[in-house]
Amino acid sequence: MLSEKAKKVFEEPQLHVEDIQADKFQQQIDYIFQHSEFYREKFQKAGIERENIQSLNDLKKLPFTYKDEIRASQKKAPPLGTHAAADMEDIVRIHSSSGTTGRPTYTGITRQDYDVWTEMLARVCYTHGIRQDSKVVFAMGLSFFVGSAMKDGIERLGATFIPIGTGASDRVVRSIIDFQADVLFCTPSYATYLAEFVKKNYGMHPSELGLKLMSVGGEPGGGLPEVRRKIESEWNCKVMEAMGNADMAPVLFSECPEQKGMHFIGADNVICEIIDPETGEIVPESDHMEGELVYTAINRECVPLIRFRTRDLVQVDTTPCACGKKSFRLRCIGRTDDMLIIRGVNVFPSAIKDVVNSFRPKTTGEIRILLKEKPPLVNPPLPLKVEIANGLSEREQEALQKDVQAALRFKLFFTAEVELVSEGSLPRFEMKAKLTERLY
Amino acid sequence: MLSEKAKKVFEEPQLHVEDIQADKFQQQIDYIFQHSEFYREKFQKAGIERENIQSLNDLKKLPFTYKDEIRASQKKAPPLGTHAAADMEDIVRIHSSSGTTGRPTYTGITRQDYDVWTEMLARVCYTHGIRQDSKVVFAMGLSFFVGSAMKDGIERLGATFIPIGTGASDRVVRSIIDFQADVLFCTPSYATYLAEFVKKNYGMHPSELGLKLMSVGGEPGGGLPEVRRKIESEWNCKVMEAMGNADMAPVLFSECPEQKGMHFIGADNVICEIIDPETGEIVPESDHMEGELVYTAINRECVPLIRFRTRDLVQVDTTPCACGKKSFRLRCIGRTDDMLIIRGVNVFPSAIKDVVNSFRPKTTGEIRILLKEKPPLVNPPLPLKVEIANGLSEREQEALQKDVQAALRFKLFFTAEVELVSEGSLPRFEMKAKLTERLY
């Protein structure tokens, strides 16, 4: 006679992702209690012991993890922080973000993390429709940014990876032509720039290059209907988005050729929750719920994250997709914080203020970032008012303006248009520093 | 009773690399006859049939392969050329070089080629003394250049790979400090630049950063005693070189901590010959023979190369090394052609001329590259005389000067200092275009 357990296996032969999630979640909690000082302390403070976490239902009892905590943890125990749960010897790669204050935050991965990432990156490509015979030109940065890990995924899928990087548009175009490449990875703003570049320098219409697919990321622009329509009509190809998070994984969501939002491709590695960013409550499930995306890793070694607040505002779609994939889809519709995204690079107003502050006492440190567009996506050059101290000569002012611009480019990777304004001319606010001013 | 073959195995249990080479060489020749149109034609022209190649001794009967042939093959059958012997579907990555004429040459790799490269890259790191607990900051380009494949080798070895790329010195320094990194990969000229950068911007002596090892490549400077001494004394660390070839493999030679030349680490994948570049004859074996390095791949799928002329002049050392490794060592002592290396990028004078030619009829196309140092290693900005056509206004001249400089930066990745000279002022030579002029 069959045991109850065996019966269950025979009667429900299908693998349920919820079962996998439940098992891995328990293993991850074990791992965290063993290896992460940060979470041991955090759980202790919240009065949570190991035995309080028995099923996936207990997840909602656990406290959120905030990016600020990760930063503070890295400041307290540099470089990786007390939340990091792997020995340096087992870490095979370290990525860094631009950080909010010019000081980067680091994300390490072990060999297992690397495998999980690579598998998810390959799935993202497959979901887009990329196959072994696809030729993929990669025109995004291949450096410290976490997105450069896409290399591994494209190669694991077995497509042809043609790395170019940034700042070599001629080579991008030439590679597309020479290999009759069908796929281009880039930021949405680069897609627009490159269309002009092709027209101007090659006397060709971009659509003549024959691209079939552009996978855009690094900026949310690819999700804006008007941006997408423009790119698609210029290039006569499909534009698809992929989305991830520098702390969790380069990509977790990927659009299929139906282009109705990004499918979640990481259910065996990450649990998603959608919460009300104000109350922290889980948003009641519905076909088109909206809220902040929250991640919990369930098999992460170096950077375990429990209920990590992404600050990404998303709209979730759980209706069936014509492509046949059953996973839910989402679109990113904004941010819950004041982060700006300039040509694919995350920049916080506080980081800009920090850079300006480093020029005290020549400046008072007061700034105002002028936003011509609705954030987070803004285009350089970014107009920036900087208050100068009284008594600077004209020559000193000229030098200061140049130096601030150079420092912003060097530390935060964007071009600013600095206008110096006299001491005291920027209004002060009692409660909270006001760093931005809307022009739109 | 034991068969003769089995006897041999028992009596000579040690694996001989020559046996591996002999077997793989035969398999490679089979593969080439099956898959490479280029070599089938080349061998036919040379009157060589499959049965003429029976042992390693027959290698020297085979004709050389020249870079120009690879280029012509890619021009004839773009993009990869008739010498490429793998289907695009099986190619997982394509690297490109700057090329001699602004037009890049491409090198594809299959999954097997990728594995062979990665294994050799890991060996290079191991030979340097890099181990699983090493923290490696990578400050070289991660893009189209073949050297960016080093990522795979460092990660396979299991050291911690900290990718930075170029143009982010602040981040390089910060990473070294934050992770107490012990290894830095960069070009020799960048090592010198970074020392000044650290002093100027951090008020520290470079040696305070605590690096133990710099692996320098992309330029031959690391082999020059005075360059190396300077870097080593600034940084108080060992400087080691690694060397490869864009067409064959990112690295095949690697220095050990004894620093007495680079060990050959690829004997199971590549056969080296040292020839007299004038006569093509193999240089008689001796402890310190000199000549041009010639490569034959013995298990290459996408780009098989038989007796490939590298144009690298090397000095070989076959005496025992104190590190215990038995493989021969070499140093690169020059080039047999006129290639320049500017900040790690290969540039041929003919490519510079091609760029200038694209501005005809405003220029006559005549140029003179002024060499302040002995090539191939030269520092930017590169002084360049460009002959202009008669009748250009001052304004047109100003624009032309800027445009040529921009085009050189854009297409060949270096900074030139263009001086316009009047039509007919550069002496002509009947036999051969003279593109360079020595100032040293």
Side-chain angles (χ1 to χ4, degrees):
Chain A
M1 216 175 94
L2 287 173
S3 70
E4 280 310 298
K5 197 178 165 189
K7 248 191 199 167
K8 205 180 159 198
V9 170
F10 280 103
E11 285 165 11
E12 296 178 64
Q14 236 191 328
L15 207 59
H16 287 279
V17 75
E18 292 78 7
D19 295 345
I20 297 173
Q21 285 185 339
D23 288 352
K24 284 192 174 176
F25 176 59
Q26 289 303 317
Q27 288 164 17
Q28 180 82 88
I29 296 294
D30 280 341
Y31 181 85
I32 281 176
F33 271 91
Q34 280 161 32
H35 295 98
S36 173
E37 187 190 325
F38 171 85
Y39 276 110
R40 267 198 308 264
E41 282 178 8
K42 191 174 170 71
F43 287 172
Q44 199 180 19
K45 262 188 213 157
I48 291 163
E49 292 180 34
R50 177 65 189 90
E51 56 267 31
N52 302 138
I53 314 169
Q54 291 298 330
S55 76
L56 279 182
N57 279 329
D58 297 328
L59 177 60
K60 60 179 177 293
K61 296 182 203 164
L62 303 181
F64 292 117
T65 305
Y66 296 89
K67 178 78 181 176
D68 280 347
E69 290 178 285
I70 300 292
R71 261 183 229 119
S73 154
Q74 293 201 338
K75 207 169 168 185
K76 181 180 162 195
L80 291 179
T82 54
H83 64 286
D87 292 334
M88 190 59 84
E89 198 172 319
D90 295 321
I91 295 172
V92 296
R93 195 193 309 155
I94 289 163
H95 285 284
S96 51
S97 70
S98 55
T100 55
T101 59
R103 186 187 169 80
T105 54
Y106 294 112
T107 306
I109 55 172
T110 65
R111 203 175 286 278
Q112 181 191 299
D113 295 333
Y114 167 93
D115 274 331
V116 169
W117 276 18
T118 304
E119 168 67 20
M120 293 200 291
L121 289 155
R123 285 183 201 168
V124 161
C125 295
Y126 196 87
T127 302
H128 280 345
I130 298 172
R131 295 294 179 267
Q132 203 194 332
D133 60 355
S134 304
K135 287 147 284 180
V136 182
V137 171
F138 195 81
M140 300 177 86
L142 282 157
S143 57
F144 42 87
F145 290 119
V146 77
S148 62
M150 187 59 84
K151 164 189 183 294
D152 304 319
I154 296 168
E155 288 177 359
R156 180 162 304 179
L157 183 66
T160 306
F161 179 61
I162 307 172
I164 307 291
T166 55
S169 298
D170 203 30
R171 203 170 275 256
V172 169
V173 177
R174 206 185 287 262
S175 300
I176 296 172
I177 295 171
D178 285 351
F179 290 94
Q180 297 172 24
D182 32 19
V183 185
L184 176 67
F185 275 75
C186 62
T187 61
S189 53
Y190 185 73
T192 306
Y193 166 81
L194 193 66
E196 291 311 308
F197 180 86
V198 168
K199 286 186 238 171
K200 193 181 151 204
N201 293 285
Y202 288 78
M204 288 171 82
H205 194 270
S207 65
E208 293 179 73
L209 264 58
L211 283 180
K212 294 198 181 68
L213 160 64
M214 257 190 219
S215 177
V216 297
E219 304 164 352
L224 300 174
E226 64 278 16
V227 172
R228 177 176 297 216
R229 263 198 305 275
K230 190 175 171 223
I231 301 174
E232 291 200 328
S233 77
E234 285 273 44
W235 289 91
N236 189 29
C237 74
K238 289 205 174 189
V239 169
M240 295 185 208
E241 271 192 300
M243 188 181 97
N245 176 286
D247 297 283
M248 179 54 88
V251 279
L252 285 163
F253 294 90
S254 176
E255 227 168 339
C256 71
E258 295 295 324
Q259 299 178 296
K260 297 271 168 65
M262 294 177 268
H263 286 277
F264 181 46
I265 55 84
D268 49 350
N269 301 309
V270 174
I271 294 172
C272 295
E273 295 172 289
I274 308 297
I275 64 159
D276 179 323
E278 297 295 325
T279 65
E281 293 298 314
I282 292 174
V283 174
E285 209 164 308
S286 78
D287 275 1
H288 290 88
M289 55 190 167
E290 282 186 18
E292 181 182 337
L293 184 59
V294 171
Y295 288 135
T296 296
I298 54 175
N299 63 348
R300 196 80 183 278
E301 286 190 338
C302 185
V303 187
L305 288 172
I306 301 291
R307 306 196 85 200
F308 181 71
R309 299 280 298 253
T310 63
R311 298 300 185 193
D312 285 326
L313 273 180
V314 298
Q315 191 177 54
V316 174
D317 185 349
T318 57
T319 62
C321 182
C323 81
K325 278 196 195 300
K326 308 248 179 296
S327 64
F328 76 86
R329 288 159 288 159
L330 58 72
R331 291 176 202 282
C332 190
I333 54 176
R335 297 273 307 169
T336 70
D337 60 17
D338 56 359
M339 188 178 81
L340 306 176
I341 303 175
I342 310 175
R343 288 257 162 89
V345 179
N346 300 348
V347 179
F348 284 87
S350 55
I352 298 176
K353 191 174 163 72
D354 283 347
V355 170
V356 173
N357 266 333
S358 70
F359 289 94
R360 281 170 178 245
K362 286 180 190 157
T363 144
T364 66
E366 284 293 323
I367 63 165
R368 206 69 92 239
I369 300 158
L370 306 184
L371 297 173
K372 289 173 291 187
E373 302 120 309
K374 188 165 182 281
L377 191 67
V378 297
N379 283 309
L382 189 71
L384 177 69
K385 287 183 183 170
V386 171
E387 233 185 56
I388 53 168
N390 287 332
L392 285 192
S393 71
E394 210 165 288
R395 199 181 205 158
E396 283 171 317
Q397 290 186 27
E398 242 172 58
L400 179 67
Q401 188 198 25
K402 274 188 197 152
D403 289 348
V404 171
Q405 286 179 176
L408 288 169
R409 165 159 288 291
F410 184 66
K411 288 181 194 273
L412 299 176
F413 310 102
F414 76 89
T415 305
E417 210 168 65
V418 168
E419 179 196 348
L420 301 179
V421 299
S422 58
E423 183 163 342
S425 67
L426 293 176
R428 268 67 167 173
F429 296 84
E430 283 225 351
M431 294 300 287
K432 207 188 157 197
K434 182 176 155 58
L435 301 182
T436 57
E437 189 181 320
R438 279 193 196 193
L439 298 183
Y440 58 92
Chain B
M1 215 176 96
L2 287 173
S3 71
E4 280 309 299
K5 197 177 166 191
K7 247 191 201 169
K8 205 179 158 199
V9 171
F10 280 104
E11 285 166 12
E12 296 179 63
Q14 235 191 329
L15 207 59
H16 287 279
V17 75
E18 291 79 6
D19 295 346
I20 297 173
Q21 285 185 339
D23 287 353
K24 284 191 173 176
F25 177 59
Q26 290 302 317
Q27 288 164 17
Q28 180 83 88
I29 296 293
D30 280 341
Y31 181 87
I32 280 175
F33 270 91
Q34 280 162 32
H35 296 98
S36 173
E37 187 190 325
F38 171 84
Y39 276 111
R40 267 199 306 266
E41 282 178 8
K42 191 174 169 72
F43 286 172
Q44 199 179 17
K45 261 188 212 158
I48 291 163
E49 293 181 34
R50 177 65 189 91
E51 56 266 31
N52 302 137
I53 314 170
Q54 291 299 330
S55 76
L56 280 182
N57 279 329
D58 297 328
L59 177 60
K60 61 179 177 292
K61 296 183 202 162
L62 303 180
F64 293 116
T65 304
Y66 296 89
K67 178 79 180 177
D68 281 347
E69 289 177 288
I70 301 292
R71 262 184 229 119
S73 154
Q74 293 202 337
K75 207 169 168 184
K76 180 180 162 194
L80 291 179
T82 54
H83 63 286
D87 292 335
M88 190 59 84
E89 199 173 317
D90 295 320
I91 295 172
V92 296
R93 195 193 310 155
I94 289 163
H95 285 284
S96 51
S97 70
S98 55
T100 55
T101 58
R103 185 187 169 81
T105 53
Y106 294 113
T107 307
I109 55 172
T110 65
R111 204 175 285 279
Q112 180 191 300
D113 295 334
Y114 167 93
D115 273 330
V116 169
W117 275 19
T118 304
E119 168 68 20
M120 292 200 291
L121 288 156
R123 285 183 201 168
V124 161
C125 295
Y126 196 87
T127 303
H128 280 346
I130 299 172
R131 295 294 180 268
Q132 203 193 331
D133 61 355
S134 304
K135 286 146 287 181
V136 182
V137 171
F138 195 81
M140 301 177 88
L142 281 157
S143 57
F144 42 85
F145 289 119
V146 78
S148 62
M150 186 60 83
K151 165 188 182 295
D152 304 318
I154 295 168
E155 288 177 0
R156 180 163 303 180
L157 182 66
T160 306
F161 179 61
I162 307 171
I164 307 291
T166 54
S169 299
D170 202 32
R171 203 169 275 258
V172 169
V173 177
R174 206 184 287 263
S175 300
I176 296 171
I177 294 171
D178 285 351
F179 290 95
Q180 297 172 22
D182 33 18
V183 185
L184 177 67
F185 276 75
C186 63
T187 60
S189 53
Y190 185 73
T192 305
Y193 166 80
L194 193 65
E196 290 311 310
F197 179 87
V198 168
K199 286 187 238 171
K200 192 181 151 204
N201 292 286
Y202 288 78
M204 288 170 82
H205 194 271
S207 64
E208 292 179 73
L209 264 58
L211 283 179
K212 293 198 181 68
L213 160 64
M214 259 192 216
S215 177
V216 297
E219 303 164 353
L224 300 174
E226 65 279 15
V227 172
R228 178 177 295 216
R229 263 198 305 273
K230 190 174 172 225
I231 301 173
E232 292 200 327
S233 77
E234 285 274 44
W235 289 92
N236 189 29
C237 74
K238 289 205 174 191
V239 169
M240 296 184 208
E241 272 193 300
M243 187 182 98
N245 177 287
D247 298 282
M248 179 54 86
V251 278
L252 285 163
F253 295 91
S254 176
E255 226 168 339
C256 71
E258 294 296 322
Q259 300 178 294
K260 298 271 167 64
M262 295 177 268
H263 286 276
F264 181 46
I265 55 85
D268 49 349
N269 301 308
V270 174
I271 294 171
C272 295
E273 295 172 288
I274 308 296
I275 64 158
D276 179 324
E278 297 294 326
T279 64
E281 292 297 315
I282 292 174
V283 174
E285 210 165 307
S286 78
D287 275 0
H288 290 88
M289 54 190 168
E290 282 185 18
E292 182 182 337
L293 184 60
V294 171
Y295 288 136
T296 296
I298 54 177
N299 63 349
R300 195 82 182 277
E301 286 191 338
C302 185
V303 187
L305 289 171
I306 301 290
R307 306 196 87 199
F308 181 71
R309 299 280 298 252
T310 64
R311 299 300 185 191
D312 285 325
L313 272 180
V314 297
Q315 190 177 55
V316 174
D317 184 349
T318 58
T319 62
C321 181
C323 81
K325 278 195 194 303
K326 308 250 179 295
S327 64
F328 76 86
R329 287 160 289 159
L330 58 71
R331 291 175 202 282
C332 190
I333 53 175
R335 297 273 307 170
T336 69
D337 59 17
D338 56 358
M339 188 177 81
L340 305 177
I341 303 176
I342 310 176
R343 288 256 163 88
V345 178
N346 300 348
V347 178
F348 283 88
S350 55
I352 298 175
K353 190 173 165 71
D354 283 347
V355 170
V356 173
N357 266 334
S358 70
F359 290 93
R360 282 171 178 247
K362 286 181 191 156
T363 145
T364 65
E366 284 293 324
I367 63 165
R368 206 69 92 240
I369 300 158
L370 306 184
L371 297 173
K372 290 174 290 186
E373 301 120 308
K374 188 166 182 279
L377 190 68
V378 297
N379 284 310
L382 190 71
L384 176 68
K385 287 184 181 169
V386 171
E387 233 186 55
I388 53 169
N390 286 332
L392 285 192
S393 72
E394 209 164 289
R395 200 181 205 156
E396 284 172 316
Q397 289 185 26
E398 242 172 59
L400 178 68
Q401 188 198 25
K402 275 190 195 149
D403 289 348
V404 170
Q405 285 179 175
L408 288 169
R409 163 158 289 290
F410 185 66
K411 288 180 195 272
L412 300 176
F413 310 102
F414 75 89
T415 306
E417 210 167 65
V418 168
E419 179 196 349
L420 302 179
V421 297
S422 58
E423 183 162 345
S425 68
L426 292 176
R428 268 68 165 170
F429 296 83
E430 284 226 349
M431 293 300 286
K432 207 189 157 194
K434 182 175 156 57
L435 302 181
T436 57
E437 188 180 321
R438 279 193 195 193
L439 298 182
Y440 58 92

